[in-house]
Amino acid sequence: MGINLSEIIFSLKQVAELLELEGENIFKVRAWSQAAALLEAQTPQPTIAELIKNLSEKKLKGFGPALTENILSLIETGKMPYLVELAKQYTPEIKELMRLKGLGPKKIKLLISELCIQNIEDLEQACKKSLVQKLKGFSEKSEAELLTNIAMLKENRGKLLISEACSIATAIETVLKNKNFDLLPIGELESRETTYTKLEFATDLKLDALETLLQELPELNLKTKSASALQYALSSQTPVVFYSLSAQEYLTRKSKAQKLEEEFKSLVQVQDLRGILHVHSIYSDGEDSLVSLAAYLAQQGYQYLGISDHSKSAAYAGGLAEARVQAQHHEIEKLNAANRDFKIFKGIESDILADGSLDYSDQFLKNFDFVIASVHSRFNLAKAEMTARVIRAIEHPATTILGHPTGRLLLEREGYQIDLDKIIDACIANKVVIEINSNPRRLDLDWSFAKRGLERGLILAICPDAHALNQITHVRWGIAMAQKAGATAEQILNTFDCARIGKYFQDKS
Protein backbone atom coordinates (compact mmCIF):
# COMPACT_ATOMS: atom_id res chain seq x y z
CA MET A 1 0.00 0.00 0.00
CA GLY A 2 3.01 2.32 0.26
CA ILE A 3 2.26 3.41 3.84
CA ASN A 4 5.17 5.22 5.46
CA LEU A 5 6.08 5.73 9.11
CA SER A 6 4.76 9.28 9.32
CA GLU A 7 1.30 8.05 8.22
CA ILE A 8 1.39 5.35 10.91
CA ILE A 9 2.36 7.92 13.55
CA PHE A 10 -0.41 10.27 12.35
CA SER A 11 -3.01 7.47 12.59
CA LEU A 12 -1.91 6.57 16.13
CA LYS A 13 -2.24 10.23 17.14
CA GLN A 14 -5.70 10.38 15.57
CA VAL A 15 -6.84 7.38 17.63
CA ALA A 16 -5.52 9.05 20.80
CA GLU A 17 -7.32 12.29 19.92
CA LEU A 18 -10.64 10.56 19.24
CA LEU A 19 -10.37 8.53 22.46
CA GLU A 20 -9.71 11.74 24.38
CA LEU A 21 -12.62 13.45 22.67
CA GLU A 22 -15.05 10.75 23.76
CA GLY A 23 -13.75 10.77 27.34
CA GLU A 24 -11.93 7.42 27.40
CA ASN A 25 -9.73 6.71 30.41
CA ILE A 26 -6.38 8.47 30.38
CA PHE A 27 -4.36 5.21 30.35
CA LYS A 28 -5.95 4.07 27.09
CA VAL A 29 -5.42 7.47 25.50
CA ARG A 30 -1.83 7.49 26.70
CA ALA A 31 -1.11 4.03 25.27
CA TRP A 32 -1.85 5.24 21.73
CA SER A 33 -0.19 8.66 22.05
CA GLN A 34 2.93 7.13 23.63
CA ALA A 35 3.14 4.57 20.84
CA ALA A 36 3.17 7.45 18.35
CA ALA A 37 5.78 9.31 20.39
CA LEU A 38 7.99 6.23 20.66
CA LEU A 39 8.00 5.67 16.89
CA GLU A 40 8.60 9.37 16.31
CA ALA A 41 11.58 9.46 18.68
CA GLN A 42 13.41 6.37 17.43
CA THR A 43 16.84 7.22 16.01
CA PRO A 44 17.44 6.07 13.40
CA GLN A 45 13.78 5.62 12.55
CA PRO A 46 12.95 2.05 11.45
CA THR A 47 12.03 1.14 7.91
CA ILE A 48 8.57 -0.37 7.43
CA ALA A 49 10.17 -3.82 7.04
CA GLU A 50 12.04 -3.34 10.34
CA LEU A 51 8.87 -2.14 12.06
CA ILE A 52 6.92 -5.19 10.89
CA LYS A 53 9.72 -7.44 12.16
CA ASN A 54 9.88 -5.67 15.54
CA LEU A 55 6.11 -5.81 15.98
CA SER A 56 5.89 -9.45 14.93
CA GLU A 57 8.69 -10.40 17.34
CA LYS A 58 7.16 -8.23 20.13
CA LYS A 59 10.33 -6.19 20.52
CA LEU A 60 8.60 -2.84 21.06
CA LYS A 61 7.75 -2.05 24.68
CA GLY A 62 4.18 -0.83 25.18
CA PHE A 63 2.87 -2.20 21.88
CA GLY A 64 0.22 -4.68 22.96
CA PRO A 65 -1.82 -6.97 20.69
CA ALA A 66 -4.42 -4.31 19.77
CA LEU A 67 -1.82 -1.74 18.79
CA THR A 68 0.25 -4.27 16.87
CA GLU A 69 -2.76 -5.66 15.01
CA ASN A 70 -3.96 -2.20 13.99
CA ILE A 71 -0.55 -1.05 12.78
CA LEU A 72 0.01 -4.22 10.75
CA SER A 73 -3.47 -3.88 9.25
CA LEU A 74 -2.72 -0.26 8.27
CA ILE A 75 0.51 -1.34 6.57
CA GLU A 76 -1.21 -4.20 4.74
CA THR A 77 -4.56 -2.60 3.77
CA GLY A 78 -4.10 1.14 4.13
CA LYS A 79 -6.73 1.27 6.90
CA MET A 80 -6.47 1.10 10.69
CA PRO A 81 -9.62 -0.78 11.89
CA TYR A 82 -9.86 0.91 15.31
CA LEU A 83 -9.49 4.37 13.78
CA VAL A 84 -12.22 3.60 11.24
CA GLU A 85 -14.51 2.40 14.05
CA LEU A 86 -13.89 5.48 16.21
CA ALA A 87 -14.29 7.90 13.31
CA LYS A 88 -17.80 6.54 12.58
CA GLN A 89 -18.98 7.97 15.90
CA TYR A 90 -18.37 11.56 14.88
CA THR A 91 -20.26 13.70 12.41
CA PRO A 92 -18.44 15.13 9.38
CA GLU A 93 -18.88 18.53 11.03
CA ILE A 94 -16.99 17.50 14.17
CA LYS A 95 -14.27 15.88 12.05
CA GLU A 96 -13.93 19.17 10.18
CA LEU A 97 -13.47 20.97 13.50
CA MET A 98 -10.60 18.59 14.25
CA ARG A 99 -8.83 19.75 11.10
CA LEU A 100 -8.58 23.30 12.39
CA LYS A 101 -5.10 24.34 13.45
CA GLY A 102 -5.10 25.37 17.10
CA LEU A 103 -7.81 22.95 18.21
CA GLY A 104 -7.07 19.69 19.99
CA PRO A 105 -9.50 17.19 21.58
CA LYS A 106 -9.62 18.98 24.96
CA LYS A 107 -10.46 22.31 23.39
CA ILE A 108 -13.10 20.79 21.11
CA LYS A 109 -14.72 19.08 24.11
CA LEU A 110 -14.72 22.41 25.93
CA LEU A 111 -16.27 24.21 22.97
CA ILE A 112 -18.99 21.57 22.69
CA SER A 113 -19.82 21.52 26.41
CA GLU A 114 -19.60 25.27 27.10
CA LEU A 115 -20.80 26.84 23.84
CA CYS A 116 -22.66 23.94 22.16
CA ILE A 117 -20.36 24.19 19.15
CA GLN A 118 -21.27 21.54 16.56
CA ASN A 119 -19.64 22.81 13.37
CA ILE A 120 -17.33 25.39 11.85
CA GLU A 121 -20.12 27.93 11.42
CA ASP A 122 -21.05 27.72 15.12
CA LEU A 123 -17.42 28.29 16.06
CA GLU A 124 -17.06 31.21 13.66
CA GLN A 125 -20.07 32.99 15.18
CA ALA A 126 -18.83 32.34 18.73
CA CYS A 127 -15.43 33.82 17.83
CA LYS A 128 -17.04 36.89 16.24
CA LYS A 129 -19.02 37.42 19.47
CA SER A 130 -15.77 37.12 21.50
CA LEU A 131 -17.18 34.15 23.42
CA VAL A 132 -14.28 31.77 22.77
CA GLN A 133 -11.57 33.97 24.28
CA LYS A 134 -13.40 33.79 27.63
CA LEU A 135 -12.90 30.03 27.90
CA LYS A 136 -9.95 28.45 29.68
CA GLY A 137 -7.04 27.81 27.32
CA PHE A 138 -8.10 30.46 24.81
CA SER A 139 -7.15 34.12 24.43
CA GLU A 140 -7.99 37.10 22.26
CA LYS A 141 -5.01 36.20 20.06
CA SER A 142 -5.94 32.50 19.69
CA GLU A 143 -9.54 33.49 18.92
CA ALA A 144 -8.33 35.78 16.12
CA GLU A 145 -6.09 32.98 14.78
CA LEU A 146 -9.07 30.61 14.81
CA LEU A 147 -11.06 33.06 12.67
CA THR A 148 -8.17 33.20 10.16
CA ASN A 149 -7.94 29.39 10.06
CA ILE A 150 -11.73 29.04 9.74
CA ALA A 151 -11.74 31.42 6.76
CA MET A 152 -9.04 29.39 5.01
CA LEU A 153 -10.75 26.08 5.71
CA LYS A 154 -14.09 27.38 4.37
CA GLU A 155 -12.41 28.84 1.30
CA ASN A 156 -10.81 25.48 0.51
CA ARG A 157 -13.79 23.21 1.11
CA GLY A 158 -14.18 20.81 -1.77
CA LYS A 159 -10.82 21.66 -3.33
CA LEU A 160 -8.32 18.96 -4.32
CA LEU A 161 -4.55 18.82 -4.61
CA ILE A 162 -3.09 18.02 -8.04
CA SER A 163 -2.23 14.47 -6.90
CA GLU A 164 -5.82 13.84 -5.74
CA ALA A 165 -7.38 15.39 -8.84
CA CYS A 166 -5.17 13.42 -11.25
CA SER A 167 -5.76 10.17 -9.35
CA ILE A 168 -9.53 10.57 -9.67
CA ALA A 169 -9.27 11.67 -13.30
CA THR A 170 -7.13 8.62 -14.14
CA ALA A 171 -9.66 6.28 -12.48
CA ILE A 172 -12.51 7.80 -14.49
CA GLU A 173 -10.58 7.72 -17.77
CA THR A 174 -9.53 4.10 -17.16
CA VAL A 175 -13.14 2.94 -16.72
CA LEU A 176 -14.17 4.49 -20.03
CA LYS A 177 -11.05 3.46 -21.96
CA ASN A 178 -11.57 -0.13 -20.80
CA LYS A 179 -14.96 0.12 -22.48
CA ASN A 180 -13.32 1.56 -25.62
CA PHE A 181 -14.74 5.05 -25.07
CA ASP A 182 -12.75 8.26 -25.22
CA LEU A 183 -12.77 11.04 -22.65
CA LEU A 184 -11.02 14.41 -22.71
CA PRO A 185 -9.96 16.29 -19.55
CA ILE A 186 -10.75 20.00 -19.90
CA GLY A 187 -10.80 23.08 -17.68
CA GLU A 188 -8.51 22.95 -14.65
CA LEU A 189 -7.33 19.43 -15.52
CA GLU A 190 -6.22 20.58 -18.96
CA SER A 191 -4.41 23.67 -17.62
CA ARG A 192 -2.71 21.70 -14.80
CA GLU A 193 -3.64 23.82 -11.80
CA THR A 194 -2.00 23.52 -8.37
CA THR A 195 -5.41 23.00 -6.70
CA TYR A 196 -8.76 22.03 -8.21
CA THR A 197 -12.26 23.40 -7.58
CA LYS A 198 -13.85 21.00 -10.07
CA LEU A 199 -12.97 18.21 -12.49
CA GLU A 200 -14.35 18.58 -16.00
CA PHE A 201 -14.40 16.21 -18.96
CA ALA A 202 -15.68 16.36 -22.52
CA THR A 203 -17.06 13.34 -24.39
CA ASP A 204 -18.97 12.62 -27.59
CA LEU A 205 -21.02 9.97 -25.78
CA LYS A 206 -24.73 10.45 -25.21
CA LEU A 207 -25.45 11.23 -21.57
CA ASP A 208 -27.55 8.13 -20.91
CA ALA A 209 -24.74 5.84 -22.14
CA LEU A 210 -22.17 7.79 -20.12
CA GLU A 211 -24.28 7.59 -16.96
CA THR A 212 -24.51 3.81 -17.29
CA LEU A 213 -20.74 3.45 -17.69
CA LEU A 214 -19.98 5.68 -14.73
CA GLN A 215 -22.01 3.48 -12.37
CA GLU A 216 -18.78 1.51 -11.96
CA LEU A 217 -17.42 4.45 -9.96
CA PRO A 218 -19.25 4.33 -6.61
CA GLU A 219 -17.39 7.37 -5.26
CA LEU A 220 -19.38 9.52 -7.71
CA ASN A 221 -22.83 10.60 -6.53
CA LEU A 222 -25.07 12.08 -9.26
CA LYS A 223 -26.22 15.60 -8.43
CA THR A 224 -27.76 17.08 -11.57
CA LYS A 225 -28.44 16.19 -15.19
CA SER A 226 -29.13 18.74 -17.89
CA ALA A 227 -29.57 18.46 -21.63
CA SER A 228 -25.81 18.58 -22.24
CA ALA A 229 -24.07 17.75 -18.95
CA LEU A 230 -23.92 15.35 -16.03
CA GLN A 231 -22.69 16.68 -12.70
CA TYR A 232 -21.53 14.41 -9.91
CA ALA A 233 -20.09 15.14 -6.48
CA LEU A 234 -17.21 13.42 -4.76
CA SER A 235 -17.27 12.77 -1.03
CA SER A 236 -15.05 15.86 -0.76
CA GLN A 237 -17.92 17.88 -2.33
CA THR A 238 -15.77 18.54 -5.40
CA PRO A 239 -17.95 18.71 -8.54
CA VAL A 240 -17.15 16.33 -11.40
CA VAL A 241 -18.82 17.47 -14.62
CA PHE A 242 -19.15 15.62 -17.95
CA TYR A 243 -20.13 17.56 -21.07
CA SER A 244 -21.64 15.74 -24.03
CA LEU A 245 -20.40 17.41 -27.23
CA SER A 246 -21.27 16.88 -30.86
CA ALA A 247 -18.74 14.85 -32.83
CA GLN A 248 -17.36 18.01 -34.49
CA GLU A 249 -17.07 19.94 -31.21
CA TYR A 250 -15.32 17.00 -29.59
CA LEU A 251 -12.79 16.66 -32.43
CA THR A 252 -12.02 20.40 -32.21
CA ARG A 253 -11.38 20.18 -28.45
CA LYS A 254 -9.29 17.05 -28.91
CA SER A 255 -7.16 18.70 -31.60
CA LYS A 256 -6.52 21.66 -29.28
CA ALA A 257 -5.47 19.32 -26.45
CA GLN A 258 -3.11 17.40 -28.75
CA LYS A 259 -1.40 20.65 -29.83
CA LEU A 260 -0.89 21.57 -26.18
CA GLU A 261 0.67 18.15 -25.48
CA GLU A 262 2.99 18.58 -28.45
CA GLU A 263 4.15 21.95 -27.07
CA PHE A 264 4.84 20.33 -23.70
CA LYS A 265 6.97 17.63 -25.37
CA SER A 266 9.60 20.26 -26.21
CA LEU A 267 9.85 21.15 -22.50
CA VAL A 268 11.49 19.31 -19.59
CA GLN A 269 10.24 15.74 -19.01
CA VAL A 270 10.51 13.38 -16.04
CA GLN A 271 12.87 11.20 -18.07
CA ASP A 272 15.25 14.17 -18.44
CA LEU A 273 16.09 14.04 -14.74
CA ARG A 274 19.49 12.42 -14.13
CA GLY A 275 19.35 12.51 -10.35
CA ILE A 276 17.16 13.26 -7.36
CA LEU A 277 17.91 16.06 -4.89
CA HIS A 278 16.23 16.89 -1.55
CA VAL A 279 15.65 13.50 0.00
CA HIS A 280 15.48 12.69 3.72
CA SER A 281 16.79 9.42 5.16
CA ILE A 282 16.54 7.60 8.49
CA TYR A 283 19.32 9.86 9.72
CA SER A 284 16.63 12.52 10.30
CA ASP A 285 12.89 12.14 9.62
CA GLY A 286 12.96 9.92 6.52
CA GLU A 287 11.72 6.34 6.34
CA ASP A 288 14.51 4.69 4.37
CA SER A 289 18.22 4.01 4.68
CA LEU A 290 20.89 5.40 2.36
CA VAL A 291 21.42 1.87 1.00
CA SER A 292 17.71 1.49 0.14
CA LEU A 293 17.44 4.95 -1.41
CA ALA A 294 20.54 4.50 -3.55
CA ALA A 295 19.53 1.00 -4.70
CA TYR A 296 16.01 2.17 -5.61
CA LEU A 297 17.20 5.21 -7.59
CA ALA A 298 19.89 3.22 -9.40
CA GLN A 299 17.25 0.66 -10.36
CA GLN A 300 15.08 3.50 -11.72
CA GLY A 301 17.95 4.60 -13.96
CA TYR A 302 19.11 7.66 -12.02
CA GLN A 303 22.83 8.47 -11.73
CA TYR A 304 22.89 10.16 -8.33
CA LEU A 305 21.13 11.01 -5.09
CA GLY A 306 21.51 14.32 -3.28
CA ILE A 307 20.78 13.40 0.34
CA SER A 308 19.62 16.38 2.41
CA ASP A 309 18.53 15.50 5.93
CA HIS A 310 17.50 18.20 8.37
CA SER A 311 20.14 20.31 10.12
CA LYS A 312 20.76 20.47 13.85
CA SER A 313 18.27 23.21 14.82
CA ALA A 314 15.40 21.11 13.39
CA ALA A 315 14.95 19.08 16.57
CA TYR A 316 11.31 18.44 15.59
CA ALA A 317 12.58 16.42 12.61
CA GLY A 318 15.59 14.65 14.11
CA GLY A 319 18.02 17.29 12.84
CA LEU A 320 21.65 16.20 12.59
CA ALA A 321 24.26 17.41 15.07
CA GLU A 322 27.80 17.60 13.72
CA ALA A 323 28.78 14.13 14.94
CA ARG A 324 25.72 12.63 13.23
CA VAL A 325 26.61 14.40 9.99
CA GLN A 326 30.11 12.94 10.15
CA ALA A 327 28.68 9.44 10.67
CA GLN A 328 26.44 9.90 7.64
CA HIS A 329 29.33 11.15 5.53
CA HIS A 330 31.40 8.14 6.53
CA GLU A 331 28.60 5.83 5.35
CA ILE A 332 28.22 7.79 2.10
CA GLU A 333 31.94 7.47 1.39
CA LYS A 334 31.79 3.70 1.91
CA LEU A 335 28.75 3.34 -0.37
CA ASN A 336 30.32 5.51 -3.08
CA ALA A 337 33.54 3.50 -2.95
CA ALA A 338 31.57 0.25 -3.31
CA ASN A 339 29.51 1.45 -6.28
CA ARG A 340 31.24 3.56 -8.90
CA ASP A 341 28.14 3.63 -11.14
CA PHE A 342 25.97 5.60 -8.71
CA LYS A 343 26.94 8.55 -6.53
CA ILE A 344 25.48 9.93 -3.31
CA PHE A 345 26.19 13.64 -2.87
CA LYS A 346 26.57 14.92 0.69
CA GLY A 347 23.89 17.52 1.23
CA ILE A 348 21.91 19.05 4.07
CA GLU A 349 18.66 20.99 4.38
CA SER A 350 19.93 23.77 6.58
CA ASP A 351 17.44 25.85 8.52
CA ILE A 352 17.55 29.56 7.78
CA LEU A 353 17.61 31.02 11.28
CA ALA A 354 15.70 34.16 12.27
CA ASP A 355 18.65 36.43 11.41
CA GLY A 356 19.27 34.75 8.05
CA SER A 357 22.28 32.71 9.14
CA LEU A 358 22.63 28.96 8.55
CA ASP A 359 22.82 26.65 11.52
CA TYR A 360 26.33 25.25 11.21
CA SER A 361 29.61 27.13 11.32
CA ASP A 362 31.04 28.34 8.02
CA GLN A 363 33.90 25.90 8.42
CA PHE A 364 31.59 22.92 9.01
CA LEU A 365 29.40 23.83 6.03
CA LYS A 366 32.43 23.15 3.80
CA ASN A 367 31.94 19.42 4.51
CA PHE A 368 28.85 19.33 2.28
CA ASP A 369 28.72 19.00 -1.50
CA PHE A 370 25.61 21.17 -1.56
CA VAL A 371 23.32 23.00 0.88
CA ILE A 372 19.56 23.52 0.60
CA ALA A 373 18.65 26.55 2.72
CA SER A 374 15.03 26.57 3.95
CA VAL A 375 12.83 28.50 6.37
CA HIS A 376 11.08 26.24 8.89
CA SER A 377 10.26 28.70 11.69
CA ARG A 378 9.24 32.29 12.49
CA PHE A 379 6.78 32.49 9.59
CA ASN A 380 5.11 35.63 10.92
CA LEU A 381 7.88 38.13 10.17
CA ALA A 382 6.98 41.28 8.24
CA LYS A 383 7.53 41.05 4.48
CA ALA A 384 10.63 43.26 4.41
CA GLU A 385 12.16 41.42 7.37
CA MET A 386 11.47 37.96 5.91
CA THR A 387 12.84 39.03 2.53
CA ALA A 388 16.05 40.36 4.11
CA ARG A 389 16.37 37.17 6.20
CA VAL A 390 16.17 34.89 3.17
CA ILE A 391 18.43 37.08 1.02
CA ARG A 392 21.11 36.91 3.72
CA ALA A 393 20.94 33.10 3.50
CA ILE A 394 21.07 33.24 -0.31
CA GLU A 395 24.22 35.37 -0.07
CA HIS A 396 25.97 32.80 2.11
CA PRO A 397 28.69 31.14 -0.01
CA ALA A 398 27.59 27.66 1.08
CA THR A 399 24.00 28.00 -0.13
CA THR A 400 23.41 26.04 -3.33
CA ILE A 401 19.60 25.76 -3.46
CA LEU A 402 16.78 27.75 -1.86
CA GLY A 403 14.15 25.31 -0.57
CA HIS A 404 10.35 25.88 -0.73
CA PRO A 405 10.74 29.67 -0.86
CA THR A 406 7.30 30.68 0.47
CA GLY A 407 6.70 27.85 2.95
CA ARG A 408 3.13 27.44 1.74
CA LEU A 409 1.07 24.30 2.32
CA LEU A 410 -1.68 24.21 -0.27
CA LEU A 411 -5.22 24.11 1.18
CA GLU A 412 -3.69 24.30 4.69
CA ARG A 413 -1.42 27.31 5.16
CA GLU A 414 -0.66 30.48 3.23
CA GLY A 415 2.98 31.15 2.50
CA TYR A 416 4.83 33.69 4.60
CA GLN A 417 5.10 37.25 3.35
CA ILE A 418 8.12 37.60 1.09
CA ASP A 419 9.12 39.61 -2.01
CA LEU A 420 9.72 36.83 -4.51
CA ASP A 421 10.97 39.13 -7.24
CA LYS A 422 13.78 40.31 -4.95
CA ILE A 423 14.45 36.70 -3.91
CA ILE A 424 14.72 35.59 -7.54
CA ASP A 425 17.08 38.45 -8.37
CA ALA A 426 19.25 37.60 -5.33
CA CYS A 427 19.41 33.95 -6.38
CA ILE A 428 20.45 34.84 -9.92
CA ALA A 429 23.10 37.28 -8.63
CA ASN A 430 24.53 34.67 -6.22
CA LYS A 431 24.19 31.66 -8.55
CA VAL A 432 21.71 30.00 -6.20
CA VAL A 433 19.16 27.57 -7.63
CA ILE A 434 15.51 27.68 -6.50
CA GLU A 435 13.69 24.39 -6.10
CA ILE A 436 10.21 23.63 -7.25
CA ASN A 437 9.35 21.57 -4.21
CA SER A 438 7.29 18.86 -5.86
CA ASN A 439 5.35 17.68 -2.83
CA PRO A 440 1.76 18.18 -4.05
CA ARG A 441 1.02 20.10 -0.83
CA ARG A 442 3.75 22.63 -1.67
CA LEU A 443 4.53 23.07 -5.41
CA ASP A 444 6.74 25.91 -4.22
CA LEU A 445 8.22 27.91 -6.08
CA ASP A 446 4.86 28.54 -7.75
CA TRP A 447 4.92 28.06 -11.54
CA SER A 448 4.03 31.73 -12.20
CA PHE A 449 7.15 32.98 -10.38
CA ALA A 450 9.18 30.13 -11.86
CA LYS A 451 8.23 31.47 -15.30
CA ARG A 452 9.31 34.99 -14.35
CA GLY A 453 12.58 33.65 -12.95
CA LEU A 454 13.37 31.56 -16.03
CA GLU A 455 12.92 34.63 -18.23
CA ARG A 456 15.64 36.36 -16.15
CA GLY A 457 18.10 33.44 -16.19
CA LEU A 458 17.13 31.51 -13.04
CA ILE A 459 18.06 27.83 -12.74
CA LEU A 460 15.47 25.56 -11.08
CA ALA A 461 15.72 22.16 -9.41
CA ILE A 462 12.85 19.66 -9.41
CA CYS A 463 12.94 18.20 -5.90
CA PRO A 464 10.52 15.67 -4.35
CA ASP A 465 11.29 16.59 -0.71
CA ALA A 466 10.91 12.84 -0.24
CA HIS A 467 10.70 11.26 3.20
CA ALA A 468 10.04 7.76 1.82
CA LEU A 469 10.74 5.81 -1.37
CA ASN A 470 7.17 6.15 -2.60
CA GLN A 471 7.50 9.96 -2.48
CA ILE A 472 10.32 10.07 -5.04
CA THR A 473 7.62 10.09 -7.73
CA HIS A 474 6.49 13.51 -6.46
CA VAL A 475 8.87 14.85 -9.13
CA ARG A 476 6.10 14.32 -11.67
CA TRP A 477 4.13 17.18 -10.08
CA GLY A 478 7.18 19.43 -10.09
CA ILE A 479 7.78 18.61 -13.76
CA ALA A 480 4.14 19.51 -14.54
CA MET A 481 4.66 22.91 -12.88
CA ALA A 482 8.02 23.43 -14.65
CA GLN A 483 6.31 22.69 -17.98
CA LYS A 484 3.57 25.17 -17.11
CA ALA A 485 6.36 27.71 -16.51
CA GLY A 486 7.91 26.87 -19.91
CA ALA A 487 11.11 25.27 -18.58
CA THR A 488 13.42 23.34 -20.88
CA ALA A 489 15.68 20.54 -19.63
CA GLU A 490 18.75 22.81 -19.73
CA GLN A 491 17.13 25.15 -17.18
CA ILE A 492 16.77 22.38 -14.56
CA LEU A 493 19.77 21.60 -12.36
CA ASN A 494 19.12 17.91 -11.86
CA THR A 495 18.95 17.19 -15.58
CA PHE A 496 22.76 17.61 -15.41
CA ASP A 497 24.61 14.31 -15.50
CA CYS A 498 26.61 13.18 -12.48
CA ALA A 499 29.94 14.65 -13.58
CA ARG A 500 28.41 17.98 -14.57
CA ILE A 501 26.40 18.49 -11.41
CA GLY A 502 29.42 17.46 -9.34
CA LYS A 503 31.45 20.19 -11.05
CA TYR A 504 28.57 22.63 -10.53
CA PHE A 505 28.58 21.95 -6.80
CA GLN A 506 32.35 22.24 -6.64
CA ASP A 507 32.43 25.54 -8.56
CA LYS A 508 29.69 26.98 -6.33
CA SER A 509 31.61 26.18 -3.17
Side-chain angles (χ1 to χ4, degrees):
M1 292 298 296
I3 294 292
N4 60 45
L5 193 64
S6 59
E7 291 169 300
I8 294 169
I9 290 167
F10 179 70
S11 295
L12 292 171
K13 287 179 179 177
Q14 278 192 303
V15 170
E17 287 176 356
L18 290 173
L19 289 172
E20 191 175 351
L21 194 58
E22 66 175 21
E24 260 292 357
N25 76 72
I26 189 63
F27 299 106
K28 191 170 184 179
V29 175
R30 198 174 289 160
W32 289 84
S33 62
Q34 285 182 343
L38 189 148
L39 292 181
E40 211 163 22
Q42 282 190 317
T43 306
Q45 291 193 317
T47 63
I48 295 300
E50 289 168 342
L51 178 59
I52 291 170
K53 185 174 186 293
N54 290 338
L55 287 170
S56 302
E57 295 176 1
K58 301 179 181 178
K59 289 182 178 178
L60 294 177
K61 187 178 178 182
F63 285 70
L67 267 164
T68 298
E69 185 181 329
N70 274 275
I71 293 171
L72 292 175
S73 178
L74 177 61
I75 292 168
E76 186 179 345
T77 69
K79 292 183 180 179
M80 183 175 277
Y82 195 31
L83 179 57
V84 172
E85 181 188 328
L86 286 170
K88 286 178 183 175
Q89 300 174 39
Y90 295 93
T91 64
E93 290 78 12
I94 294 295
K95 290 177 189 174
E96 190 175 41
L97 277 173
M98 294 179 72
R99 288 170 51 204
L100 268 181
K101 189 179 177 183
L103 284 187
K106 286 181 181 176
K107 287 186 175 180
I108 292 174
K109 279 181 72 175
L110 187 65
L111 289 168
I112 293 170
S113 62
E114 296 295 320
L115 299 177
C116 300
I117 301 297
Q118 293 298 314
N119 53 48
I120 292 292
E121 285 69 25
D122 288 349
L123 180 57
E124 184 177 33
Q125 289 305 310
C127 287
K128 286 179 177 177
K129 292 175 182 176
S130 301
L131 298 175
V132 173
Q133 63 180 265
K134 296 172 184 176
L135 300 179
K136 184 180 179 182
F138 290 94
S139 64
E140 187 176 350
K141 182 183 176 183
S142 64
E143 187 178 64
E145 287 173 350
L146 273 177
L147 277 172
T148 300
N149 295 336
I150 287 168
M152 188 166 188
L153 189 147
K154 287 175 70 176
E155 182 187 346
N156 292 323
R157 273 178 176 160
K159 290 184 182 179
L160 299 172
L161 298 170
I162 188 172
S163 53
E164 297 166 330
C166 290
S167 175
I168 294 161
T170 299
I172 291 169
E173 289 174 289
T174 300
V175 165
L176 291 187
K177 283 178 181 175
N178 285 344
K179 302 286 186 181
N180 296 316
F181 290 105
D182 206 5
L183 192 67
L184 195 62
I186 59 174
E188 293 171 346
L189 284 168
E190 185 178 32
S191 59
R192 305 184 187 195
E193 299 302 313
T194 52
T195 60
Y196 294 74
T197 58
K198 59 183 174 181
L199 307 183
E200 296 177 290
F201 301 88
T203 177
D204 56 358
L205 280 175
K206 298 298 182 186
L207 292 185
D208 288 346
L210 179 62
E211 190 175 355
T212 301
L213 290 170
L214 291 171
Q215 287 174 0
E216 292 186 26
L217 290 160
E219 64 269 26
L220 292 180
N221 299 309
L222 186 61
K223 288 180 74 177
T224 57
K225 182 177 179 180
S226 66
S228 61
L230 284 172
Q231 180 169 320
Y232 290 80
L234 297 165
S235 57
S236 63
Q237 303 176 14
T238 310
V240 183
V241 187
F242 300 88
Y243 299 96
S244 179
L245 307 181
S246 68
Q248 186 57 50
E249 286 175 315
Y250 186 72
L251 284 174
T252 302
R253 289 301 299 256
K254 192 170 182 179
S255 175
K256 178 188 168 187
Q258 285 170 342
K259 284 179 183 176
L260 188 63
E261 282 302 317
E262 285 167 14
E263 287 175 19
F264 276 8
K265 284 175 184 176
S266 66
L267 302 174
V268 64
Q269 306 292 320
V270 172
Q271 56 266 31
D272 293 324
L273 299 181
R274 296 290 172 261
I276 298 294
L277 307 173
H278 200 162
V279 177
H280 299 267
S281 76
I282 55 175
Y283 275 87
S284 67
D285 61 343
E287 304 296 327
D288 298 289
S289 66
L290 295 178
V291 173
S292 298
L293 289 164
Y296 173 79
L297 289 175
Q299 187 181 35
Q300 298 300 308
Y302 291 105
Q303 297 177 9
Y304 55 87
L305 159 66
I307 202 70
S308 50
D309 281 302
H310 285 285
S311 58
K312 63 180 181 179
S313 65
Y316 56 88
L320 276 58
E322 285 85 350
R324 189 90 172 120
V325 170
Q326 289 166 343
Q328 185 182 65
H329 286 186
H330 180 65
E331 183 181 355
I332 289 171
E333 286 159 10
K334 285 176 64 178
L335 290 171
N336 284 342
N339 185 1
R340 300 289 183 182
D341 296 326
F342 185 89
K343 185 174 177 71
I344 303 175
F345 287 103
K346 302 169 184 173
I348 196 75
E349 185 177 17
S350 179
D351 272 27
I352 299 174
L353 304 180
D355 64 355
S357 61
L358 304 182
D359 62 348
Y360 295 110
S361 70
D362 289 355
Q363 187 60 37
F364 193 78
L365 285 166
K366 292 178 181 178
N367 291 302
F368 298 101
D369 294 317
F370 72 101
V371 173
I372 299 175
S374 304
V375 171
H376 289 115
S377 62
R378 298 288 301 277
F379 295 157
N380 58 350
L381 296 181
K383 186 174 184 177
E385 193 177 355
M386 182 64 84
T387 303
R389 171 191 182 182
V390 174
I391 287 177
R392 184 179 175 199
I394 290 167
E395 291 173 343
H396 194 292
T399 300
T400 319
I401 300 170
L402 177 64
H404 45 73
T406 74
R408 73 181 184 185
L409 291 176
L410 294 167
L411 307 185
E412 292 180 38
R413 180 180 77 204
E414 297 287 352
Y416 38 76
Q417 294 297 303
I418 193 166
D419 188 328
L420 281 175
D421 281 309
K422 286 185 178 178
I423 295 299
I424 289 168
D425 286 341
C427 284
I428 294 169
N430 290 277
K431 297 183 179 178
V432 168
V433 173
I434 298 183
E435 77 166 358
I436 294 182
N437 188 298
S438 305
N439 184 314
R441 293 192 177 280
R442 290 191 184 272
L443 300 181
D444 183 17
L445 182 68
D446 186 79
W447 73 269
S448 57
F449 279 96
K451 182 178 177 65
R452 284 154 70 168
L454 290 169
E455 289 166 355
R456 279 136 68 180
L458 181 69
I459 297 293
L460 299 170
I462 305 297
C463 303
D465 195 356
H467 290 70
L469 285 176
N470 65 336
Q471 294 173 6
I472 298 291
T473 55
H474 281 169
V475 291
R476 66 182 287 205
W477 312 122
I479 288 290
M481 294 301 105
Q483 290 174 338
K484 197 171 166 70
T488 62
E490 190 62 22
Q491 293 170 301
I492 306 298
L493 178 66
N494 48 320
T495 64
F496 295 3
D497 66 24
C498 190
R500 185 180 175 193
I501 200 170
K503 185 175 186 305
Y504 184 94
F505 290 154
Q506 194 171 31
D507 291 347
K508 179 65 178 69
S509 61

